[in-house]
Every structure is written in structure tokens, then in C-alpha cells.
Amino acid sequence: METKILKINPLNPEIDIIAEGAKYIRMGKLVAFPTETVYGLGANGLDEEAVKNIFTAKGRPQDNPLILHVSSIDEVKPLVKSIPKEAEILMKEFWPGPLTIIFERSSIVPDIITAGLDTVAIRMPNHPVALELIGASKVPIAAPSANTSGKPSPTLAEHVIEDLYGKIELVLDGGPTGVGLESTVLDLTGDIPTILRPGGITLEDIRHFIPNVELDLSIISSNEKIIPKSPGQKYRHYAPKAEMLVFTGEVENIVRVIKSMAKEHVRAGKRVGIMATDETENKYTEGVVISVGSRKRAGTIARNLFTTLREFDEIGVDIILSEGVEMSHIGTAIMNRLKKASGGNIIKV
Ligand code: TXA
Ligand code: MG
């Protein structure tokens, strides 16, 4: 299949390009587009056949449900059974933005979207291209991250092309995404509002409005036996090709341990990658050192994380030794992705 690639202005999307994207969506084709978090791989969310092709293109397990993307709060109503009070508050506060809310589904939502669950995930992305594409398509757009399943999510159109060229019909290239990590997934269908996947809207942000919100146990616990409530969270994910170890604790200790492990591996003839931070990158003398961002502005770490993991793949290291960050605010989402990327190899030093 031929993949068409169109550049689009991320702030002021050209009307004719949006119209073309919307035409593709309505014809049941796959369109990758930028959102404020990562690139999405979009299809008409009400077209069962089109949505099936998303799973094929990504190699995504069938039991992993998709998020429906809308361009206004009004579009939620037909897709859900009811809108809880908490959802109303949060949609008003955080939409458009990186918050996905799980509702009880209505019968117009195809089974393939929800992977047979009686709930549906919905979000309104904060990106002009995404909003205008959904608006012009006049349907909710189903969109997982536009990467091959298991690989780091795409924060550049180049990443989408690397993974999906020849497998999808259209890529709208709007340049780099903003947040860099996928949206927060919040379940409002149980007794206690629960974050199933941490993201750009943090626990602390939500707690401000919904005081009893909690993180799903699988996010906090290091016990791999606790099964996440979100199907997508149970797979190794965001993973670079190399083996990866993540170190947490006091920064000086992290640096000391990584330095000594790097030395050992280099001596054994391995190519070592070190994922450092602006504050520590000069302290390492061995291996390929890449700073992922500043510890003082964890948002920069979130934004660069997936690109940096892909860079290590390109360089072709055998092992990645990564610094961890503090588990608060956006740091919770960063540590969640590092945990998945490393297959749970988190070491407290
Ligand atoms: O930022 C994002 O959310 C990006 C952009 C493109 O919007 N999308 C994204 O989609 O990350 P995806 O498919 O890669 O991740 C969706 C996550 C998965 O972990 C999935 O299991 C979970 O949301 N999810 C979807 N529907 C669910 C449901 N009904 N119940 C529980 N978890 C659900
Ligand atoms: Mg994904």
C-alpha cells in the first residue's frame, strides 16, 4: 500500500489538507495525525472494518481496547450510558487535554473498540490538527498511538513513518508533539475514581477536583503479579531493543552505581547507553551518554523520553542504564513508562 505523507501547519492547519484527511477517514482508511501527547493512528470509530485495520497495521493484541477521540464535550453523550458528575467537572476543567475518561458505553460503540468490555475510553485532544480532523470527519476517531505495538510511542511523524510506512494510507506531519507521553487514563465506572495509566494530567491535578481519586495498584506496586485494570498496561511496552535497567534513589547514588555498572559492561565488550539528565550527564566518562532533559523541569524529560529510547535503538547499544526520577506529578508517568520499557527492571540504590 502507498503511504501518502502531507505536511500540515500544527497551529493553523490548512483547510484543504484537513478536508483530505477527513475524506480518508470517512472512506474507512487509516490516517496518522499529531495530538498534544503523541501521534495517533486514526480510523472512523464507528466503522468496524476500518478499526480492524488499526489492529493489523500496529500488530496490536485484539484484547486491547481503543480510545475514541472527540472534538467537543457534546459528542460524548451518544457514546455513553450516562455522564457522571465527576466527568462533567473534569471535562470542563481539562478538555481539550491529555485526559482520557472511561465511561459506561452506549450500544453505538462497536465491540472492537472496547475489546468486548462494557466501558469506553474517550478523550478530546488539545491539538488544532486533531480537533479539526475530528470535526471535519463528523465521526469519533478511534486512535491508539501510531507505533508498532510494543515500541516507544511516536512523538515525531518520522517515528510513525519508521514503524508504519506501507501499512497505512496517510500521515499528517505536524512536527513534534508537546507532552511526549500518552494521556492519563481515568476510570470513573467503579466505586473509586482510579487512574489506570498516569499521564500529562497528574494525580495531583485531578485530586484538586476529585479528592478521593487513586492510582491503580499496578502503577505504584513493584509486584509484577498485580494485574493492571487497563488491558494495555499489562504488556511490555515503549520498549527499546536493548536490555534496560532503571535506577532510583538519591541522585548521587544513582550516578555512582551507573558509572560502576557501565565500566563493568564496557570491560565485557558491551556497547552501553546511559540515559542521563542535564544535571548529571557530565559525570559519566564511559558509554554513549544522552541527557533526556532537566530534573528541574520534568516536563522536558516526558517530552524527550520516547525519542531518546528510539535514539539508543538507532545507535545500537546492547544495554541501557537509565536514571529514574521522583514518583510525583509528571514523574509518576515517566516512571510508569520506564518501568514498562525496562520490563520491570527498576533497581532501588
Ligand atoms: O495520548 C493518548 O492517549 C494517545 C493519543 C493518540 O490520543 N493514544 C493512546 O492510545 O495512547 P493507546 O491505544 O496506545 O492506549 C490506550 C490505553 C490502553 O492502555 C488501553 O488498554 C486503555 O487505554 N483503554 C482503552 N479503553 C479502555 C477501557 N474501556 N477500559 C480500560 N482501559 C482502556
Ligand atoms: Mg500505545
Side-chain angles (χ1 to χ4, degrees):
M1 163 190 316
E2 201 171 318
T3 301
K4 193 165 176 178
I5 301 165
L6 295 175
K7 289 246 185 240
I8 189 161
N9 184 324
L11 301 173
N12 254 318
E14 296 81 352
I15 294 170
D16 52 325
I17 300 180
I18 289 291
E20 175 144 14
K23 192 178 87 190
Y24 272 62
I25 292 285
R26 296 199 63 94
M27 284 166 65
K29 297 184 172 170
L30 301 186
V31 178
F33 61 96
T35 80
E36 83 281 28
T37 58
V38 300
Y39 274 76
L41 178 57
N44 177 351
L46 303 178
D47 177 343
E48 190 121 30
E49 284 307 310
V51 175
K52 252 187 217 154
N53 292 333
I54 292 181
F55 286 86
T56 314
K58 277 183 62 97
R60 181 179 176 105
Q62 292 279 349
D63 68 345
N64 194 3
L66 301 175
I67 298 170
L68 286 180
H69 295 68
V70 296
S71 61
S72 74
I73 294 177
D74 295 340
E75 292 159 41
V76 172
K77 214 168 173 194
L79 305 170
V80 303
K81 234 177 173 172
S82 62
I83 299 181
K85 186 106 199 33
E86 288 96 338
E88 255 165 39
I89 297 169
L90 295 174
M91 290 190 294
K92 216 167 133 219
E93 197 60 36
F94 296 114
W95 281 14
L99 175 69
T100 295
I101 299 175
I102 314 266
F103 297 87
E104 293 192 24
R105 64 183 273 199
S106 77
S107 57
I108 71 162
V109 177
D111 284 339
I112 186 154
I113 295 285
T114 67
L117 298 173
D118 44 23
T119 57
V120 62
I122 305 180
R123 98 173 182 100
M124 178 177 172
N126 188 15
H127 192 294
V129 171
L131 289 172
E132 292 195 21
L133 179 68
I134 302 160
S137 303
K138 298 194 173 66
V139 289
I141 294 187
S145 48
N147 52 294
T148 299
S149 255
K151 292 238 286 175
S153 293
T155 54
L156 292 170
E158 285 78 4
H159 300 158
V160 179
I161 293 161
E162 192 178 297
D163 282 11
L164 299 175
Y165 192 84
K167 298 181 176 171
I168 65 178
E169 279 92 357
L170 181 63
V171 179
L172 298 179
D173 177 357
T177 59
V179 180
L181 300 179
E182 307 84 348
S183 63
T184 304
V185 176
L186 175 70
D187 186 0
L188 291 181
T189 66
D191 292 337
I192 296 169
T194 305
I195 292 177
L196 306 184
R197 177 177 74 180
I201 302 295
T202 65
L203 175 72
E204 292 85 347
D205 295 332
I206 296 171
R207 190 175 275 152
H208 213 77
F209 300 93
I210 314 288
N212 65 334
V213 63
E214 287 181 4
L215 285 172
D216 188 47
L217 214 52
S218 69
I219 297 167
I220 316 162
S221 167
S222 53
N223 183 348
E224 293 294 307
K225 287 198 192 99
I226 294 176
I227 297 178
K229 273 210 211 89
S230 202
Q233 289 278 307
K234 66 180 185 237
Y235 305 105
R236 180 163 184 222
H237 230 137
Y238 321 117
K241 290 181 200 125
E243 183 192 348
M244 183 168 168
L245 301 174
V246 181
F247 299 88
T248 63
E250 295 291 326
V251 177
E252 300 93 86
N253 293 343
I254 296 175
V255 171
R256 187 171 36 81
V257 173
I258 291 183
K259 275 175 83 105
S260 97
M261 278 198 92
K263 188 175 261 170
E264 239 172 73
H265 284 286
V266 167
R267 199 177 297 146
K270 293 244 175 90
R271 280 163 307 172
V272 177
I274 296 177
M275 194 147 83
T277 45
D278 290 356
E279 290 79 9
T280 61
E281 63 176 331
N282 291 327
K283 304 205 162 128
Y284 299 105
T285 48
E286 266 163 306
V288 181
V289 183
I290 303 179
S291 171
V292 67
S294 167
R295 288 181 170 275
K296 292 194 203 91
R297 283 171 296 130
T300 62
I301 299 180
R303 195 167 313 130
N304 297 330
L305 182 64
F306 290 142
T307 315
T308 307
L309 291 176
R310 281 182 186 255
E311 270 178 64
F312 282 122
D313 270 352
E314 257 163 52
I315 296 163
V317 297
D318 301 308
I319 184 163
I320 301 169
L321 305 174
S322 172
E323 296 180 9
V325 298
E326 215 180 291
M327 275 275 282
S328 68
H329 298 93
I330 190 73
T332 308
I334 295 169
M335 282 308 294
N336 168 262
R337 304 313 191 269
L338 287 175
K339 182 173 160 189
K340 299 279 163 211
S342 66
N345 277 332
I346 308 273
I347 298 149
K348 174 109 181 54
V349 296

